[in-house]
């Protein structure tokens, strides 16, 4: 050890944080995790080999060719032959015909038809006929009209259409001259797709402004964290007062909007009368919307104030605990930037899962079916377009066609495709939980090295964060995999319950719905409990180097023996940190609202023109919370680690010369200050010992 020059062991050979007896833990689970990762890579390679994302990006014609690709590069739009034969939005969305008697061709075209014509009128005029032939499968030449229709060389009519964002030609709605164009049933299905396209377009216009807002959230989070380091006591109360002020500003602004809309026409209708509107800005012109905002914000304000009143004494103690955590963070300043590393790893996990999911969903093969307008014994049977003209099917049904129907497949790979999708989702949860667990154990190890160092900071490692990361990966990969596996199993069960609930939405069985609701609630609670146990188990693993199960057991019983302290101190600190996250989200959200809504003259020229300005605002709110959570999670992990180390130190040592406390005098005073929270003997000698030097003479 002297040769290795390990500062953390200087003078603490018998300390529980010593590396003398540290070895690899949960090796079997580590092996399983490595095998699962290798299998995950294999599934990804299989998906990338068979998949083709062009199937979900570009439309496909009747021959299975991609519009806008290859020899059809100049024809990016999909045009439907004889759409009125089976006019249904599901035909357009699923890109296949519902019955053998109802089929039409998909044709790639350069642009959608902008006029309504029939084949009869087009043939009579050379200019119209030249335009009409651009929508034929092949050049009809001088063939008579009956032959053209029989062989389906050209559509029987053209309907004025408009291209949508999905690269498809859809009929124009309403009137055009004296001709009424087609109105499809179930317009809500089509409207949903149009809304999705508008949202995507809004993202393309506002993505850099969203990044700027998220960068502001990063800067604000860093400023608050740095100020907490040096002005913890002041900043905690500033955060609390600013949260109250931000919510109060929201109430005042909502009240002003509510009063100003009093005499506006149509503003007094109810939300129930208005119904669902894809454009959320419509709701902002309704008085009831702002009344709901006033009520929600007022309830939130009252709850926060009541909690602060009842916890005012606990908050003072929690502020002192935050000061101690700030000192620990000050000695491990690199921990403030560790969430960036965690975010980078999570980005890789999410990107791998998303890309693999896309390739798996597009790894099916084109399936061709026999379509015929008359009765045919081979209708809807699978066919091969290459040799269909010389096949027995064509002989039995001369007027049949072998056309692209859908994507599928009957190979062993396609039979196990659903298993690969499930494996992809399960490994996503496992890997994401593993990355989160690695961050928790790394931070816990770094802050524990601060706590257990007899002479702070001289006895701390030179690079405590890197040393802790190395220990976690070298010795405890199995424990990390074990804890994240348990959590992943619960999460995948919750996903399956949500899927079953979605399938049973139209069911009338009340008991089944009740049972499903109870199961969803139970597994939600179980997930929260496992996350709590895992978090504290990782701290114990970082301290002692024991396996996951033993560490989880020790952490649970240690917390139960100090349950009052957990409630009155640890959770109060979590509440303060939550207010900090709420403040960051509130400040950035207010800025995003006034910027993207264009309601401020200063931003009108800079703000992009959007269909739905709530899209970037919601994105900024969610992103800001995740960023604030990432930075404040460092403090939360520091507080949890110091608290657990304190409880362990208090049980292992008695403050004597033989067994001195490793906690600082300030931390000892903080956590033993409340007599109700103290669970150790309170004799006069111990009271004198736990009192800081400047209070001794007073006592």
């Amino acid at each position: 050890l002297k040769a290795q020059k390990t500062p953390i062991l200087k003078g603490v050979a018998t300390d529980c944080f010593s590396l003398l007896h540290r070895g690899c833990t949960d090796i079997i689970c580590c092996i399983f995790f490595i095998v699962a990762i290798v299998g995950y890579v294999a599934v990804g390679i299989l998906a990338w080999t068979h998949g083709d994302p062009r199937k979900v990006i570009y439309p496909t014609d009747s021959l299975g060719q991609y519009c806008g690709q290859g020899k059809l590069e100049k024809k990016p739009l999909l045009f439907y032959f004889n759409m009125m034969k089976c006019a249904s939005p599901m035909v357009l969305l699923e890109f296949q015909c519902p019955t053998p008697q109802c089929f039409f061709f998909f044709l790639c075209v350069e642009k959608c038809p902008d006029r309504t014509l029939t084949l009869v009128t087009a043939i009579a005029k050379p200019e119209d006929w030249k335009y009409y032939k651009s929508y034929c499968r092949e050049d009809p030449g001088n063939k008579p009209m009956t032959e053209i229709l029989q062989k389906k060389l050209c559509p029987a009519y053209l309907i004025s259409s408009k291209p949508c964002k999905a690269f498809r030609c859809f009929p124009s709605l309403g009137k055009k001259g004296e001709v009424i164009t087609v109105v499809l049933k179930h317009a809500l299905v089509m409207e949903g797709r149009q809304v999705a396209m508008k949202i995507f377009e809004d993202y393309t216009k506002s993505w850099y402004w969203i990044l700027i807002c998220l960068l502001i959230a990063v800067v604000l989070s860093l400023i608050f964290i740095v100020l907490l380091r040096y002005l913890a006591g002041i900043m905690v109360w500033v955060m609390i007062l600013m949260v109250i002020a931000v919510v109060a500003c929201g109430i005042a602004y909502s009240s002003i909007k509510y009063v100003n809309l009093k005499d506006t026409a149509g503003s007094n209708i109810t939300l129930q009368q208005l119904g669902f509107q894809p454009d959320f800005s419509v709701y902002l012109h309704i008085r009831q919307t702002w009344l709901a905002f006033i009520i929600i914000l007022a309830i939130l304000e009252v709850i926060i104030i009541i909690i602060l009143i009842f916890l005012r004494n606990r908050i003072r103690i929690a502020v002192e605990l935050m000061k101690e955590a700030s000192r620990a963070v000050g000695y491990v300043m690199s921990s403030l930037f560790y969430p960036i590393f965690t975010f980078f790893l999570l980005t890789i996990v999410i990107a791998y899962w998303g890309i693999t999911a896309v390739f798996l969903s597009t790894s099916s093969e084109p399936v061709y079916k026999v379509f015929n307008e008359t009765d045919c014994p081979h209708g809807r049977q699978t066919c091969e377009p290459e040799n269909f003209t010389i096949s027995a099917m064509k002989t039995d049904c001369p007027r049949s066609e072998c056309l692209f129907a859908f994507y599928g497949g009957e190979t062993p790979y396609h039979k196990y495709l659903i298993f690969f999708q499930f494996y992809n989702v399960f490994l996503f949860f496992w890997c994401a939980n593993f990355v989160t667990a690695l961050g928790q154990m790394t931070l816990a190890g770094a802050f524990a090295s601060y706590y257990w160092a007899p002479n702070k900071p001289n006895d701390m490692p030179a690079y405590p964060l890197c040393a802790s990361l190395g220990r976690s990966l070298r010795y405890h990969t199995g424990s990390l995999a074990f804890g994240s596996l348990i959590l992943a199993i619960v999460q995948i069960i919750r996903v399956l319950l949500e899927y079953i609930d979605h399938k049973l939405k139209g069911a009338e069985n009340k008991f089944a719905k009740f049972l499903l609701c109870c199961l969803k609630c139970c597994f939600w609670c179980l997930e929260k409990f496992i996350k709590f146990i895992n978090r504290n188990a990782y701290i114990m693993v970082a301290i002692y180097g024991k396996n996951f199960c033993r560490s989880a057991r020790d952490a649970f019983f240690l917390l139960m023996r100090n349950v009052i302290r957990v409630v009155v101190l640890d959770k109060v600190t979590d509440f303060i940190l939550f207010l900090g996250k709420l403040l960051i989200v509130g400040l950035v959200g207010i800025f995003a609202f006034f910027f993207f809504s264009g309601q401020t003259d200063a931003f009108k020229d800079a703000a992009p023109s959007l269909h739905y300005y709530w899209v970037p605002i919601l994105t900024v709110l969610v992103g800001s919370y995740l960023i604030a959570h990432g930075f404040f999670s460092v403090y939360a992990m520091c507080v949890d680690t110091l608290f657990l180390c304190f409880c362990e130190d208090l049980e292992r040592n008695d403050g004597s010369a033989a067994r001195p406390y490793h906690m600082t005098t300030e931390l000892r005073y903080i956590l033993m200050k409340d007599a109700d929270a103290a669970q150790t003997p309170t004799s006069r000698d111990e009271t004198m010992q736990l009192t800081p030097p400047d209070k001794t003479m007073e006592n």
Side-chain angles (χ1 to χ4, degrees):
L1 292 175
K2 290 182 179 179
Q4 294 176 359
K5 296 181 179 179
T6 312
I8 196 172
L9 300 179
K10 187 177 180 181
V12 285
T14 59
D15 198 303
C16 65
F17 199 69
S18 173
L19 303 183
L20 289 174
H21 303 291
R22 190 177 293 267
C24 296
T25 56
D26 299 299
I27 299 175
I28 296 177
C29 196
C30 179
I31 296 173
F32 281 156
F33 183 66
I34 294 173
V35 172
I37 292 296
V38 172
Y40 198 20
V41 174
V43 170
I45 294 174
L46 275 175
W48 301 335
T49 304
H50 293 82
D52 189 354
R54 293 182 301 174
K55 295 174 184 176
V56 295
I57 299 175
Y58 303 104
T60 308
D61 67 4
S62 298
L63 300 178
Q65 303 175 104
Y66 299 113
C67 297
Q69 296 291 298
K71 62 181 182 180
L72 300 176
E73 183 179 0
K74 296 183 179 180
K75 297 181 178 182
L77 301 173
L78 189 67
F79 169 71
Y80 297 90
F81 258 50
N82 301 340
M83 184 185 296
M84 293 305 296
K85 279 194 174 183
C86 41
S88 168
M90 299 314 297
V91 173
L92 305 182
L93 293 176
E94 296 178 5
F95 318 124
Q96 52 183 315
C97 302
T99 64
Q101 289 75 30
C102 175
F103 77 94
F104 51 86
F105 294 98
F106 307 142
L107 181 69
C108 296
V109 295
E110 186 175 353
K111 62 179 182 178
C112 297
D114 55 5
R115 42 183 125 165
T116 302
L117 294 171
T118 63
L119 182 61
V120 177
T121 57
I123 291 179
K125 297 180 180 180
E127 293 184 2
D128 289 345
W129 181 232
K130 182 179 179 182
Y131 174 81
Y132 201 95
K133 286 192 293 185
S134 62
Y135 297 95
C136 295
R137 294 170 57 197
E138 58 183 67
D139 189 357
N142 296 322
K143 294 183 177 66
M145 184 178 62
T146 54
E147 185 179 352
I148 293 174
L149 291 175
Q150 183 179 4
K151 294 184 177 180
K152 299 180 181 61
L153 300 179
C154 298
Y157 47 81
L158 294 180
I159 298 177
S160 178
S161 306
K162 292 181 179 179
C164 72
K165 297 296 182 180
F167 304 105
R168 289 166 176 81
C169 297
F170 289 121
S172 304
L173 303 179
K175 273 194 172 184
K176 186 174 182 179
E178 295 301 320
V179 181
I180 300 178
T181 59
V182 62
V183 180
L184 297 174
K185 296 182 295 181
H186 309 297
L188 184 61
V189 178
M190 302 305 301
E191 186 180 4
R193 181 170 277 251
Q194 291 174 0
V195 168
M197 294 301 170
K198 288 181 180 179
I199 291 175
F200 178 77
E201 187 176 346
D202 286 344
Y203 275 122
T204 60
K205 291 181 179 179
S206 61
W207 64 270
Y208 46 91
W209 293 110
I210 293 175
L211 290 180
I212 291 175
C213 290
L214 295 180
L215 183 61
I216 293 174
V218 172
V219 173
L220 284 177
S221 299
L222 280 174
I223 291 174
F224 272 88
I225 290 296
V226 172
L227 290 176
L228 274 176
R229 163 66 183 92
Y230 297 102
L231 302 170
I234 297 175
M235 285 304 301
V236 168
W237 291 109
V238 168
M239 282 193 303
I240 292 173
L241 294 176
M242 287 188 69
V243 168
I244 296 175
V246 168
V247 177
C249 289
I251 296 173
Y253 182 79
S254 300
S255 302
I256 293 172
K257 297 293 291 186
Y258 179 77
V259 173
N260 292 341
L261 288 173
K262 181 178 181 181
D263 300 324
T264 305
S267 63
N268 290 317
I269 66 172
T270 63
L271 295 175
Q272 186 177 4
Q273 292 173 335
L274 183 62
F276 175 76
Q277 299 294 328
D279 186 0
F280 286 2
S281 61
V282 174
Y283 295 104
L284 299 181
H285 299 283
I286 307 300
R287 296 187 74 204
Q288 198 176 78
T289 302
W290 294 104
L291 180 61
F293 287 158
I294 294 171
I295 295 173
I296 294 171
L297 292 175
I299 293 174
L300 179 63
E301 185 87 324
V302 171
I303 291 175
I304 292 175
I305 292 175
I306 291 175
I307 291 176
L308 292 175
I309 291 173
F310 280 95
L311 297 180
R312 60 188 184 277
N313 293 328
R314 312 296 185 194
I315 289 175
R316 293 193 188 100
I317 302 175
V319 168
E320 299 298 325
L321 185 58
M322 290 291 296
K323 290 181 180 179
E324 183 66 22
S326 297
R327 281 189 284 270
V329 172
Y331 290 126
V332 194
M333 286 296 290
S334 56
S335 62
L336 294 177
F337 302 96
Y338 187 83
I340 299 176
F341 178 67
T342 301
F343 177 77
F344 173 73
L345 293 180
L346 285 176
T347 302
I348 295 176
V349 172
I350 294 172
Y352 186 87
W353 164 77
I355 294 172
T356 304
V358 169
F359 274 86
L360 283 174
S361 61
T362 59
S363 58
S364 51
E365 299 174 348
V367 176
Y368 297 86
K369 298 284 186 179
V370 176
F371 292 96
N372 195 60
E373 290 187 340
T374 59
D375 291 335
C376 176
H378 305 290
R380 300 294 285 180
Q381 291 184 7
T382 305
C383 59
E384 296 291 338
E386 292 82 6
N387 55 7
F388 181 74
T389 55
I390 59 175
S391 65
M393 296 180 181
K394 185 68 173 178
T395 304
D396 296 339
C397 306
R399 299 182 62 180
S400 62
E401 296 281 348
C402 182
L403 302 177
F404 168 76
F406 55 86
Y407 287 106
E410 298 179 353
T411 64
Y413 169 78
H414 295 98
K415 291 181 180 178
Y416 291 103
L417 199 56
I418 185 67
F419 168 76
F420 292 148
Q421 287 281 21
F422 177 83
Y423 189 78
N424 183 37
V425 174
F426 179 73
L427 261 293
F428 163 71
F429 283 125
W430 196 357
C431 293
N433 292 328
F434 180 87
V435 171
T436 304
L438 177 63
Q440 292 175 347
M441 186 178 291
T442 300
L443 291 173
F447 295 129
S449 67
Y450 160 82
Y451 184 92
W452 296 110
N455 185 15
K456 302 173 178 59
N458 296 331
D459 289 338
M460 292 178 60
Y463 304 99
L465 193 69
C466 294
S468 179
L469 178 61
R471 285 194 304 271
S472 301
L473 291 175
R474 179 180 177 183
Y475 296 107
H476 308 305
T477 299
S479 298
L480 294 170
F482 193 7
S484 55
L485 173 62
I486 297 173
L487 186 57
I489 292 173
V490 175
Q491 289 173 335
I492 202 69
I493 293 175
R494 290 193 63 201
V495 170
L496 293 176
L497 290 175
E498 291 293 339
Y499 175 77
I500 296 173
D501 184 40
H502 176 73
K503 290 296 183 182
L504 294 179
K505 275 189 176 179
E508 299 296 332
N509 192 330
K510 301 295 184 181
F511 176 76
K513 290 184 177 180
F514 172 76
L515 181 61
L516 190 62
C517 184
C518 292
L519 287 174
K520 289 168 60 177
C521 179
C522 291
F523 276 96
W524 179 84
C525 296
L526 180 61
E527 181 183 357
K528 296 299 180 183
F529 177 74
I530 290 176
K531 285 183 177 179
F532 173 77
I533 291 296
N534 283 6
R535 182 183 181 91
N536 291 282
Y538 297 144
I539 296 175
M540 296 299 284
V541 172
I543 296 173
Y544 280 106
K546 299 177 182 178
N547 61 52
F548 176 81
C549 291
R550 187 174 178 182
S551 298
R553 183 198 64 186
D554 293 344
F556 178 75
F557 286 112
L558 180 62
L559 291 173
M560 289 302 100
R561 290 193 296 270
N562 297 270
V563 65
I564 299 178
R565 289 193 181 100
V566 173
V567 174
V568 302
L569 293 177
D570 195 44
K571 295 310 170 187
V572 172
T573 308
D574 290 342
F575 174 71
I576 294 174
L577 293 175
F578 173 74
L579 292 182
K581 300 174 193 176
L582 207 62
L583 178 61
I584 299 294
V585 173
L587 292 176
V588 178
I590 291 173
F591 172 78
F593 174 77
F594 284 108
F595 179 82
F596 289 110
S597 64
Q599 297 189 18
T600 305
D601 295 334
F603 299 136
K604 278 188 176 180
D605 297 332
S609 177
L610 304 172
H611 297 289
Y612 311 121
Y613 64 79
W614 52 265
V615 171
I617 292 175
L618 289 179
T619 305
V620 167
L621 289 176
V622 175
S624 299
Y625 180 81
L626 294 177
I627 290 171
H629 176 74
F631 282 100
F632 280 88
S633 64
V634 175
Y635 262 83
M637 199 67 203
C638 182
V639 170
D640 290 345
T641 303
L642 294 180
F643 183 80
L644 208 61
C645 289
F646 164 80
C647 295
E648 183 68 16
D649 191 15
L650 203 63
E651 292 191 354
R652 291 179 63 255
N653 302 305
D654 56 8
S656 63
R659 291 190 299 169
Y661 289 124
H662 287 82
M663 66 188 83
T664 61
T665 306
E666 295 82 359
L667 181 61
R668 191 187 321 160
Y669 178 64
I670 293 166
L671 296 178
M672 299 293 294
K673 186 176 181 180
D674 194 336
D676 295 335
Q679 297 186 6
T680 57
T682 55
S683 64
R684 174 177 176 83
D685 294 338
E686 287 181 339
T687 303
M688 293 293 291
Q689 183 183 17
L690 296 176
T691 306
D694 57 339
K695 299 288 183 179
T696 305
M697 293 303 297
E698 180 182 345
N699 289 340

